[in-house]
Amino acid sequence: MAFFFNVFSRCEKHVSVLSDSLEELPETDEPVWILGKQYDLQAEKSKLLSDISARLWFTYRRKFSPIGGTGPSSDAGWGCMLRCGQMMLAQALICKHLGRDWGWEKHQEQPEEYQRILKCFLDRKDCCYSIHQMAQMGVGEGKSIGEWFGPNTVAQVLKKLALFDEWNSLAVYVSMDNTVVIEDIKKMCHMCPSDLTHDSSSSSYNGLDWNTDCPGQTSGWKPLLLIVPLRLGINQINPIYADAFKECFKMPQSLGALGGKPNSAYYFIGFLGDELIYLDPHTTQTFVDTEENGTVNDQSFHCQQSPPRMKILNLDPSVALGFFCKEEEDFDNWCGLVQKEILKPQSLQMFELVEKHPAHWPPFIPPTKPEVTTTGAEFIESTNNLFELEEDFEILSI
């Protein structure tokens, strides 16, 4: 524990008072792209800055309950990639429940769905995407609690945790070997959890029918969180990928990218010219819990400072792109954009998009909710239970 305390003491960068006004971006005629939306800096600067501040911002926190009961009570110095993963997932949930055009205003009442999304990420062991759940699920990915995660590890952790989130009911697909398989995604998104058993044999999977009447799914399509982990170079990003990487931020399905520099993660949400715009989790704030009325004071969950930028060629080559497809037509549209903008002939392709499951791969088995026994992670049975209990002001325990 002394080790954790010393690390956190060195790495904490305490937040002072956040600025009430966002600083100016440079004067330029170049457009700015933020998560699929284009802005003219000359005419839409205010709208641009409001859009950036509306994104949920998760940073280091301190003084939460010790992870695992005896572990660290702050993630300063090691939890930055976990926080970036939380931000990407939170953006997917915002798009699902409120839409990409939803905006946030300081001290304004927000929709019930917004508060419910925020509660999913509070630093408590009973919140489905808390730092506690992510750190403990990471143990199954070979990461000790307090150890730094890479983009792919965070993607795998989110995929597993989403299986326990019945309210949002996302299908999370993490690509393998730089390859996105259309057939596998469509099969996964057309299936209900009740269609799948814990039997992981290919025969139990291959006999399933696609279900077009899933509870909570009006279209028969389970909303898709698509994460594409990539290695875009050896020690630094290969410049040949820069344009394709930026194209991803133009897609309406964009959730940005996870990445940064060695042992320092950022959540990239857009670009201006050759600079990436990102949200930085490296600020340590105090743990925030629900108030007596059941709401969360959200002022510290929105960055009200100028968004930092970095040259794209300074990016570490290990990244993960994120996309959200609420409906099947969104995914079909994404596939068309990838074919047109990313998979251009005579260019080094950033990743592959294939129609059929590769014959030399093992059979595709959609992820299912496991029986948790000895993993060490603590789970709530469903997010619905959590919110029902909070409404009654009961004490939660696992």
Side-chain angles (χ1 to χ4, degrees):
M1 290 303 295
F3 167 76
F4 283 119
F5 177 79
N6 291 334
V7 169
F8 300 151
S9 296
R10 291 195 303 268
C11 294
E12 284 186 353
K13 182 173 66 177
H14 293 287
V15 65
S16 54
V17 179
L18 293 177
S19 172
D20 288 332
S21 61
L22 288 157
E23 298 175 14
E24 295 293 312
L25 287 166
E27 296 294 335
T28 177
D29 292 330
E30 290 189 273
V32 178
W33 286 90
I34 301 292
L35 300 176
K37 298 185 73 172
Q38 181 180 4
Y39 291 95
D40 180 343
L41 268 179
Q42 304 299 322
E44 301 177 296
K45 185 176 291 186
S46 178
K47 288 178 61 178
L48 164 66
L49 296 176
S50 294
D51 190 19
I52 293 172
S53 67
R55 301 313 105 213
L56 280 172
W57 180 47
F58 297 121
T59 72
Y60 291 151
R61 296 276 173 173
R62 57 192 175 93
K63 296 186 178 180
F64 49 68
S65 62
I67 296 175
T70 59
S73 58
S74 172
D75 63 311
W78 60 271
C80 53
M81 185 62 81
L82 282 74
R83 298 300 185 179
C84 292
Q86 287 180 326
M87 286 189 269
M88 177 178 281
L89 176 57
Q91 179 60 24
L93 301 186
I94 291 289
C95 290
K96 179 181 188 294
H97 295 286
L98 303 175
R100 173 62 184 90
D101 293 331
W102 170 83
W104 175 86
E105 292 186 25
K106 192 175 182 181
H107 303 306
Q108 295 295 313
E109 185 176 352
Q110 302 298 333
E112 178 184 348
E113 292 87 353
Y114 165 80
Q115 281 282 328
R116 195 168 181 181
I117 290 168
L118 194 51
K119 290 175 185 177
C120 291
F121 298 93
L122 295 181
D123 299 316
R124 293 168 23 177
K125 67 178 182 179
D126 50 23
C127 295
C128 52
Y129 301 115
S130 67
I131 195 74
H132 299 67
Q133 298 286 6
M134 294 186 72
Q136 291 185 302
M137 186 62 81
V139 173
E141 298 296 321
K143 297 291 185 179
S144 301
I145 295 174
E147 187 176 354
W148 196 84
F149 283 29
N152 182 63
T153 303
V154 166
Q156 298 297 335
V157 164
L158 292 178
K159 181 174 74 171
K160 291 182 178 179
L161 288 178
L163 298 172
F164 297 87
D165 179 8
E166 296 176 3
W167 174 53
N168 292 298
S169 189
L170 294 179
V172 181
Y173 179 92
V174 181
S175 65
M176 289 176 46
D177 298 334
N178 292 359
T179 304
V180 176
V181 183
I182 296 174
E183 177 185 42
D184 294 347
I185 288 176
K186 293 213 169 189
K187 286 181 178 179
M188 179 174 65
C189 290
H190 277 290
M191 290 177 180
C192 294
S194 58
D195 290 333
L196 301 171
T197 69
H198 293 294
D199 180 4
S200 61
S201 66
S202 59
S203 60
S204 65
Y205 165 71
N206 291 334
L208 293 173
D209 294 326
W210 289 11
N211 194 318
T212 57
D213 188 25
C214 300
Q217 295 171 230
T218 57
S219 66
W221 172 269
K222 195 171 185 179
L224 170 68
L225 169 57
L226 169 59
I227 304 178
V228 186
L230 299 170
R231 184 81 185 179
L232 302 180
I234 300 176
N235 297 316
Q236 60 186 23
I237 188 171
N238 188 330
I240 200 170
Y241 294 120
D243 287 341
F245 188 74
K246 291 193 296 183
E247 283 294 328
C248 293
F249 293 97
K250 296 181 181 181
M251 298 177 180
Q253 301 85 358
S254 174
L255 295 176
L258 308 177
K261 297 179 291 188
N263 295 323
S264 187
Y266 305 122
Y267 174 41
F268 296 97
I269 59 173
F271 72 92
L272 168 60
D274 291 326
E275 290 185 319
L276 298 173
I277 298 171
Y278 62 92
L279 296 179
D280 187 351
H282 299 91
T283 291
T284 305
Q285 304 186 83
T286 302
F287 162 64
V288 171
D289 204 349
T290 52
E291 299 182 343
E292 289 186 1
N293 62 3
T295 64
V296 178
N297 185 333
D298 66 349
Q299 299 306 302
S300 65
F301 292 98
H302 293 272
C303 185
Q304 299 164 61
Q305 295 175 317
S306 176
R309 304 184 301 277
M310 69 177 287
K311 294 288 186 182
I312 189 170
L313 295 184
N314 292 337
L315 183 68
D316 186 89
S318 181
V319 299
L321 296 166
F323 305 94
F324 177 70
C325 302
K326 185 175 182 179
E327 305 291 348
E328 185 171 10
E329 64 181 347
D330 298 326
F331 177 64
D332 293 338
N333 174 264
W334 179 84
C335 291
L337 291 172
V338 169
Q339 293 284 2
K340 179 181 177 182
E341 304 296 343
I342 307 299
L343 306 181
K344 295 179 179 179
Q346 283 120 20
S347 67
L348 190 59
Q349 296 180 352
M350 196 163 57
F351 61 87
E352 290 187 79
L353 178 66
V354 299
E355 184 70 37
K356 296 294 183 180
H357 187 86
H360 63 282
W361 281 16
F364 174 70
I365 308 297
T368 59
K369 183 177 177 180
E371 297 291 342
V372 179
T373 53
T374 60
T375 65
E378 297 169 287
F379 297 97
I380 53 173
E381 184 61 30
S382 74
T383 49
N384 291 328
N385 294 341
L386 169 61
F387 297 115
E388 289 170 3
L389 289 169
E390 284 188 343
E391 289 170 2
D392 296 333
F393 298 102
E394 294 180 359
I395 299 175
L396 291 169
S397 60
I398 296 181

